[in-house]
Amino acid sequence: MSYAKNLSLKPFDIDGLSWPSIGTKQRLNETTEQKNERTHKLAEAVKTILECIGEDPEREGLQKTPHRYAQALMFFSKGYEESIEQIVNGAIFEEDHDEMVIVKDIEVFSLCEHHLVPFTGKISIGYIPNRNVIGLSKIARIAEMFSRRLQVQERLTKQIAVALQEILKPQGVAVVMDASHLCMSMRGVQKPGSSTVTSVMLGVFREQAKTREEFLTLIHN
């Protein structure tokens, strides 16, 4: 599914899953035996990779590497299985507050879907309530959920913003992400130290320059 088509879909399905991948429900509903089979299959694939790069997967230092990496990759991608309803868990409250709420410098870790190498960075999220506010920790957990998938930074930034807009129906949502990509520093142009900044502005943050500037000033102070 293309990036544009993916984001044009409704943010949550009937099970509370947010933009689930094609195998999400199978992975979510599988038995312990099926999970073990999945991990074993993945470990065998890693063993093949080690052989293909010229290594010996049977040498002492690598014997357990395929299984370790299989388990790690399942953790790195656990965001596919998480439900937005379970994360929010009813932590939305009616409050007479109509000023900006910002959670900034949320550290996230993700995998670039083009090269399967990490990118890491910080996300700052702001919204202006329309009578409803959300528990602050839930904002960080929503960012974590979307980052624990194969991602591109542009989509990650937009998914967080659209999800919060759908959950809270606020006056506006703003998300800015600043990240470093190992696919740029370890390969390709090989430019360590470079960073990529993406932003998504919805509602009043998009429509009103003054509101947008206030948010950007606050997150950089």
Side-chain angles (χ1 to χ4, degrees), residues 161 173-176 199-207 212 215-216:
V173 176
V175 180
V176 173
S199 69
V200 173
M201 306 287 167
L202 302 177
V204 294
F205 290 98
R206 188 180 186 89
E207 297 161 2
R212 184 167 60 251
F215 169 74
L216 295 173

Side-chain angles (χ1 to χ4, degrees), residues 111-186:
L111 287 177
C112 163
E113 67 179 36
H114 299 144
H115 303 100
L116 297 185
V117 294
F119 65 94
T120 65
K122 293 183 178 182
I123 297 178
S124 294
I125 302 169
Y127 73 97
I128 298 180
N130 187 13
R131 301 199 65 82
N132 287 327
V133 299
I134 188 171
L136 297 178
S137 66
K138 306 302 182 182
I139 295 176
R141 289 193 63 195
I142 289 169
E144 169 81 0
M145 180 190 76
F146 285 118
S147 70
R148 293 296 185 180
R149 302 179 178 189
L150 302 186
Q151 281 286 13
V152 295
Q153 185 175 330
E154 298 89 339
R155 182 171 67 235
L156 172 56
T157 309
K158 191 161 189 176
Q159 284 182 330
I160 294 168
V162 172
L164 282 170
Q165 184 74 24
E166 182 75 11
I167 293 166
L168 292 173
K169 301 291 191 296
Q171 297 180 54
V173 176
V175 180
V176 173
M177 181 174 185
D178 187 339
S180 297
H181 295 247
L182 288 185
C183 61
M184 285 186 63
S185 59
M186 291 182 66

Side-chain angles (χ1 to χ4, degrees), residues 58-99:
E58 298 303 324
R59 72 175 175 85
E60 184 179 6
L62 292 177
Q63 287 178 2
K64 295 182 180 181
T65 297
H67 183 70
R68 289 193 193 103
Y69 186 75
Q71 290 182 316
L73 192 56
M74 294 302 290
F75 178 78
F76 296 157
S77 61
K78 68 185 180 71
Y80 287 119
E81 300 180 21
E82 294 179 327
S83 161
I84 201 80
E85 289 182 356
Q86 292 177 341
I87 286 177
V88 175
N89 195 28
I92 296 176
F93 313 99
E94 186 172 339
E95 289 290 340
D96 185 20
H97 182 83
D98 60 0
E99 298 294 334

